[in-house]
Amino acid sequence: MSARIDPRTLGPTFFYHSDAPPYATHGAPTLEVRPGDSIRVALHNLLPPILSDDAHGLPDTTNLHFHGLTLSPNAPSDDVLTTLLMPLARTTYDVRVAADQPPGIYWYHPHPHHETSWQVGNGMAGVILVDGIENVDPALGGLRQRVMVLRQVYLHPDSDEAAIATRFCGFKNLSTKNKIDYLLAHRLVRKSDDDAKTVVTLNDRPAGSVAIDVKPGERQLFRVVNATSMRNLDLAVDGERLELISQDGVPVGYLPGSERTQSVPDIVLPPGGRAEFVVTGLDHATTLRSRAFDSGPKGDKDPAVELATLDPSAPPDAVENRLPMPSVAVKPPHDYYRTPPTAPAQHRTVVLAENADGSRFFINRKSFDMRDPAMFVAKSGTVEEWTLRNESEEVHTFHTHQVHFIVESVNGRPIPEREREWRDTYNVPYARNHVPGSAKILVDFRDPVVRGTFVFHCHILDHEDGGMMAKVRVEA
Ligand SMILES: [Cu+2]
């Protein structure tokens, strides 16, 4: 696939290629894999090389991060630190999905420091589905499943149909006038991230415009990715509770002692987070919505938004997508996600903070630089306890690459064992009355494939681009 300028929006986008017409398709394909499979993706950076309006003055680099998968952090696998494609450069990723990767929904997106929010905020993201969830919960076998990608994309000032017709896919093919248009649009849009210039979409259609066929009493599995760059979504369906099956790719019942499903009124999905839940059809139309989310006095506004109508009289699916019936799953040689964590070998503190006007962001008083040494060095095979402390008056979404973690307590309040689950994105509460928000987590470095240097950061991506990121090195 390639990263290039979308002639329709003048924003950066993925195109992917096939041997048959139309040869290049806008967007990023869903990759459906089984545990133990390899994913090979060739990526070609066709973004223009000449932009200098960024604070850092660099051209548009790009790369890929495979969010949530337990992978080697070293090239050609899930490496975002040294695999950084300059314009016209290309590379091939070779990613080995772990034999014990839990079945569920994961995703991939670019991760070039300073550029991540801009690229993801223009929709550059695709889904990775690891097969087999019906073997974990046989009651899911045969249900209709719906993969839903939620984005918040920029409204481009110049994306009308006439303009589309005059543009081509590669910048080098643009006329001088269109090059100037592009530069102006790029500069204009990049500097505006207020909500008025963005729109929430569900599978690339404006939120609220989608009608989904759910028959009365029918159970369907919704598999949702928050692929926005900086928006919290609080999912709910009017008139019913949701049956939560899985968060961040991992079934909630995976940890011994936790319940197989949870009945919940709503599910907060931070940017980068995923949830899989069963919805049961009512005998009348209802609404899948995101409730307003309180991200703190200094946080971005996350107002309520209607996402879709669930309607027993909606037109039937053109192609039905049903989960297979359960089969006997192959037993992996080890299964860290189902093995209770060992006693922590190390205790660390991660302080999240920002400057007064919210333009620079820090972890342990340090704003990220690509040349930084690792902030922490962990020993492979161990579990560590990290205390996350949020000193700012807005929520920050903690995310680690390569591994998942278990949230033990929030603001000093322990999470009951039956509700403990693996996460890879988690909102650390904001400070109130100068008392920092906090969360205590267990970070799992047991899988030997995770050796090398990688990053943890805030998944509100303009915070990451603004420096709220650090490196950790895991050694044998
Ligand atoms: Cu943040």
Side-chain angles (χ1 to χ4, degrees):
M1 44 195 264
S2 58
R4 53 175 79 188
I5 295 303
D6 186 339
R8 300 174 303 174
T9 64
L10 299 173
T13 188
F14 281 131
F15 274 73
Y16 63 99
H17 306 275
S18 60
D19 296 332
Y23 302 108
T25 307
H26 168 259
T30 293
L31 308 174
E32 196 171 341
V33 300
R34 285 164 305 186
D37 278 357
S38 291
I39 303 172
R40 291 174 71 91
V41 187
L43 179 66
H44 193 184
N45 184 2
L46 293 174
L47 294 171
I50 41 86
L51 299 171
S52 58
D53 62 315
D54 310 326
H56 55 94
L58 294 174
D60 278 11
T61 54
T62 197
N63 59 11
L64 289 179
H65 167 48
F66 299 85
H67 183 128
L69 297 177
T70 306
L71 298 172
S72 162
N74 306 313
S77 183
D78 185 28
D79 162 43
V80 299
L81 288 168
T82 67
T83 305
L84 204 54
L85 301 183
M86 297 293 281
L88 300 181
R90 60 173 90 213
T91 195
T92 300
Y93 288 90
D94 184 354
V95 164
R96 310 289 166 92
V97 180
D100 64 342
Q101 189 70 55
I105 191 163
Y106 302 84
W107 64 304
Y108 59 101
H109 62 81
H111 207 291
H113 184 47
H114 296 302
E115 300 288 330
T116 305
S117 186
W118 166 245
Q119 293 183 11
V120 175
N122 272 286
M124 294 177 78
V127 169
I128 301 171
L129 268 187
V130 177
D131 282 349
I133 196 150
E134 68 283 357
N135 299 331
V136 176
D137 186 347
L140 300 174
L143 298 191
R144 279 201 274 180
Q145 59 172 335
R146 300 192 184 274
V147 172
M148 299 181 179
V149 183
L150 297 169
R151 307 180 205 271
Q152 182 180 25
V153 293
Y154 300 105
L155 287 172
H156 291 261
D158 183 17
S159 56
D160 60 279
E161 292 294 323
I164 292 165
T166 63
R167 292 198 180 93
F168 300 90
C169 295
F171 185 83
K172 67 178 192 292
N173 295 327
L174 295 180
S175 70
T176 303
K177 178 186 178 306
N178 286 335
K179 282 179 185 168
I180 292 166
D181 282 352
Y182 167 73
L183 287 169
L184 287 174
H186 192 277
R187 181 169 289 143
L188 265 174
V189 175
R190 177 173 288 221
K191 287 183 176 159
S192 66
D193 42 59
D194 60 301
D195 279 345
K197 296 196 175 70
T198 63
V199 62
V200 174
T201 62
L202 192 165
N203 293 347
D204 299 319
R205 292 171 61 189
S209 70
V210 182
I212 295 174
D213 170 32
V214 190
K215 297 292 178 235
E218 182 194 2
R219 299 170 78 240
Q220 292 191 5
L221 181 66
F222 286 12
R223 320 184 80 173
V224 188
V225 184
N226 182 346
T228 70
S229 61
M230 55 182 100
R231 182 164 178 148
N232 272 283
L233 299 163
D234 184 358
L235 304 179
V237 174
D238 294 355
E240 68 173 293
R241 292 174 73 86
L242 307 174
E243 185 186 342
L244 179 65
I245 303 293
S246 178
Q247 282 217 276
D248 293 349
V250 187
V252 292
Y254 248 40
L255 273 175
S258 44
E259 285 172 349
R260 198 173 64 177
T261 66
Q262 296 172 16
S263 169
V264 293
D266 63 319
I267 302 166
V268 172
L269 216 51
R274 289 89 63 215
E276 294 161 80
F277 52 93
V278 171
V279 165
T280 304
L282 306 177
D283 59 8
H284 56 270
T286 186
T287 302
L288 170 68
R289 65 175 72 248
S290 171
R291 299 177 178 173
F293 178 81
D294 171 19
S295 60
K298 292 221 169 145
D300 302 317
K301 296 288 165 280
D302 297 318
V305 57
E306 289 188 10
L307 299 172
T309 306
L310 312 185
D311 187 350
S313 58
D317 302 333
V319 181
E320 270 202 358
N321 184 356
R322 286 185 185 273
L323 286 163
M325 295 313 285
S327 57
V328 179
V330 183
K331 226 177 159 37
H334 55 69
D335 201 344
Y336 294 106
Y337 286 91
R338 289 206 234 218
T339 310
T342 43
Q346 237 349 303
H347 299 266
R348 305 185 197 273
T349 302
V350 174
V351 178
L352 307 169
E354 59 192 70
N355 65 355
D357 72 355
S359 60
R360 290 196 73 199
F361 298 86
F362 308 91
I363 292 182
N364 291 342
R365 316 284 166 222
K366 175 81 185 63
S367 194
F368 183 73
D369 185 291
M370 285 293 277
R371 293 160 297 191
D372 286 344
M375 185 174 278
F376 301 143
V377 179
K379 190 161 167 43
S380 179
T382 68
V383 172
E384 296 195 353
E385 184 179 69
W386 292 14
T387 300
L388 314 176
R389 216 164 68 216
N390 181 0
E391 293 185 347
S392 62
E393 293 186 296
E394 68 172 312
V395 156
H396 293 293
T397 305
F398 182 82
H399 169 58
T400 49
H401 285 213
Q402 315 329 121
V403 300
H404 278 66
F405 51 85
I406 299 166
V407 183
E408 297 177 286
S409 68
V410 181
N411 282 344
R413 186 181 50 83
I415 306 277
E417 199 171 320
R418 63 180 187 281
E419 290 172 19
R420 291 200 181 179
E421 60 203 23
W422 293 106
R423 299 292 298 264
D424 62 39
T425 43
Y426 192 79
N427 278 335
V428 187
Y430 56 84
R432 290 172 193 258
N433 304 319
H434 306 289
V435 179
S438 70
K440 217 169 243 205
I441 63 173
L442 291 170
V443 190
D444 185 4
F445 297 117
R446 287 177 296 177
D447 194 321
V449 79
V450 180
R451 286 180 189 169
T453 304
F454 52 94
V455 292
F456 56 97
H457 62 86
C458 179
H459 219 288
I460 297 173
L461 293 175
D462 57 340
H463 299 181
E464 180 236 297
D465 284 337
M468 194 172 273
M469 181 150 76
K471 294 177 189 170
V472 55
R473 187 167 76 246
V474 179
E475 294 181 342

